[in-house]
Amino acid sequence: MAAELHVELVAADRNVWSGEATLVVARTTSGDIGVMPGHQPLLGVLESGPVTIRTSEGSTVIAAVHGGFISFADNKLSLLAEIAELADEIDVQRAERALERAKAEADAAAERRADVRLRAVTG
């Protein structure tokens, strides 16, 4: 079994992150899934939620992902997201304001997006 897998996190507008990892955890419509090297091939639908990538160097990359697909085969994991932001790209104060505005307007979709952003930042 290989000790790492190649990961591509791609949003509709850009390549968000690419590299080698030992574990990726993402939320699918069937629940949270962890993918490690040698995992069985899979294809799933991503739910909005944080994606955690444990890199081969031992660091952790967290991204807020809003919908899309996950695919794994031959130790290559593709996360194709409608929207994806790395945690260090997220403006916390802006996300907090968006969450408050969404709650005030009873906009469940906007509230979920803001909540995912904040969870990605806080780990």
Side-chain angles (χ1 to χ4, degrees):
M1 179 184 342
E4 56 190 32
L5 56 110
H6 183 73
V7 178
E8 294 282 337
L9 173 56
V10 179
D13 61 342
R14 67 187 177 116
N15 186 351
V16 179
W17 190 87
S18 177
E20 305 305 310
T22 57
L23 171 68
V24 177
V25 178
R27 174 153 299 158
T28 70
T29 54
S30 300
D32 288 353
I33 186 167
V35 179
M36 297 175 70
H39 195 283
Q40 292 294 314
L42 74 91
L43 179 61
V45 177
L46 288 170
E47 289 272 320
S48 291
V51 168
T52 303
I53 303 167
R54 302 236 190 260
T55 71
S56 297
E57 293 82 34
S59 64
T60 301
V61 174
I62 300 176
V65 172
H66 308 281
F69 299 93
I70 183 171
S71 171
F72 181 76
D74 301 322
N75 274 336
K76 294 178 184 151
L77 180 70
S78 297
L79 299 146
L80 309 171
E82 294 171 24
I83 301 169
E85 306 164 274
L86 295 175
D88 60 5
E89 299 173 340
I90 296 170
D91 180 333
V92 175
Q93 283 124 0
R94 182 174 174 226
E96 288 171 341
R97 287 191 306 270
L99 179 61
E100 292 306 315
R101 188 172 48 254
K103 285 179 179 178
E105 296 171 359
D107 184 341
E111 186 174 340
R112 175 90 174 133
R113 285 189 304 271
D115 180 61
V116 167
R117 286 183 180 105
L118 290 170
R119 284 190 296 136
V121 170
T122 60

